[in-house]
Amino acid sequence: GVVSGIASNEQYTVTVKGETGHAGAIPMTRRQDTLLAASHMIHSVDDILKSTPNTVGVVGSIENHPNIINVIPEKTVFTIDFRAEKDDVRTITRERILESLTSIAERLNVDMEITCTAKREPASCDNALTDMLRSTIASNDITPHTMFSGAGHEGLAMQDLTDVAMLFVRCEENSAGLESAVSIDDIEKAVEIIATFLNNLDADRLD
C-alpha cells in the first residue's frame, strides 16, 4: 500500500468524580457512580470513532477507585487516543467526543475533567513521490492501494528535513502484535519495488 499521509492524533486523560458508598446502602437512583459514567463515555467514544470515516482511536487505560467489589466507585480515570488523516476531521471528532462526554456527565450527575496530554499535527506524503511509488508498484503487476497511516512513523521526524513517501507491506494479524507475520515473497517484492523506485528518482531530487 502507498501511504497518503500520517494521521494527526490527540490524547486525553478523562477524570470522572462522584461519591462513594456501600453498594447495599445507597439507592440505585441516588448514586454518583463514576465507573458507570465512564463506561457510558467509553462506549460513546467508540461509537463516534466508528461513525467517522478515516478516524481511529482507543480507550487504552482505565483506573478505578476505590476498586472494591461492594463499594460504589468515586473516581474513575481513563485515557483517549484518537487519530485522523485530516485536521478538520480531527477537530470535528474532538468536538463530538467532548460534547458527548459532557452530556453523559450531566445526565449521570458526576463531575468530569478532561486534560489534553498530547497533540500531533498530520504529515502529508509528497504527491510526486507518492505517484512515482504508485507507478512503480503498478509496473510490477500489483494493484497499488492508497491508505493513510494511523500510527506514527519515522516520516514524522523526517518531514521537516525532506519530502516523504512510504510503502506498507501487508501483514497477517496485528502489525504491532507478537503474532504478526510478513511473507518472504512480499518482502522480496517490496525490496524490488523500493530499489526500482530509488533508481528512477530524478537527479534533481537528490541535489
Side-chain angles (χ1 to χ4, degrees):
V2 179
V3 179
S4 59
I6 302 173
S8 61
N9 85 311
E10 296 184 12
Q11 296 178 341
Y12 292 87
T13 297
V14 182
T15 303
V16 186
K17 296 180 180 180
E19 185 173 335
T20 191
H22 194 281
I26 308 298
M28 296 294 293
T29 56
R30 292 176 52 193
R31 297 185 180 185
Q32 293 175 278
D33 186 333
T34 59
L35 184 57
L36 175 65
S39 69
H40 283 263
M41 293 175 181
I42 292 169
H43 193 279
S44 175
V45 170
D46 186 67
D47 283 344
I48 291 170
L49 295 175
K50 286 178 177 176
S51 66
T52 308
N54 294 328
T55 303
V56 294
V58 68
V59 173
S61 67
I62 184 169
E63 299 175 4
N64 190 54
H65 306 274
N67 210 37
I68 300 172
I69 191 170
N70 60 347
V71 177
I72 300 167
E74 64 178 349
K75 179 181 177 182
T76 305
V77 182
F78 64 93
T79 60
I80 302 172
D81 178 303
F82 72 91
R83 300 152 187 262
E85 184 178 11
K86 304 295 184 182
D87 269 341
D88 57 342
V89 176
R90 182 183 66 174
T91 299
I92 293 172
T93 302
R94 178 202 313 129
E95 292 173 350
R96 290 182 64 195
I97 290 175
L98 294 180
E99 180 180 356
S100 177
L101 267 55
T102 299
S103 175
I104 292 170
E106 293 175 352
R107 175 166 56 87
L108 296 180
N109 193 29
V110 295
D111 295 324
M112 179 187 66
E113 299 174 0
I114 302 180
T115 303
C116 181
T117 56
K119 185 179 292 186
R120 185 186 70 199
E121 300 302 317
S124 296
C125 291
D126 181 75
N127 289 332
L129 289 176
T130 298
D131 288 342
M132 186 176 176
L133 186 55
R134 191 179 293 110
S135 297
T136 305
I137 294 172
S139 69
N140 281 266
D141 297 324
I142 299 174
T143 301
H145 297 279
T146 302
M147 63 193 74
F148 84 95
S149 172
H153 294 278
E154 289 79 0
L156 285 172
M158 296 300 295
Q159 66 173 335
D160 293 332
L161 303 176
T162 187
D163 297 328
V164 173
M166 292 180 62
L167 175 69
F168 276 176
V169 179
R170 62 185 176 180
C171 179
E172 290 187 28
E173 303 298 338
N174 180 356
S175 63
L178 295 177
E179 301 301 321
S180 61
V182 181
S183 72
I184 297 299
D185 288 343
D186 284 352
I187 293 175
E188 290 177 347
K189 184 60 67 174
V191 171
E192 181 181 344
I193 289 170
I194 291 296
T196 303
F197 170 79
L198 293 174
N199 287 332
N200 291 337
L201 276 177
D202 292 337
D204 290 343
R205 297 196 70 94
L206 302 178
D207 290 340

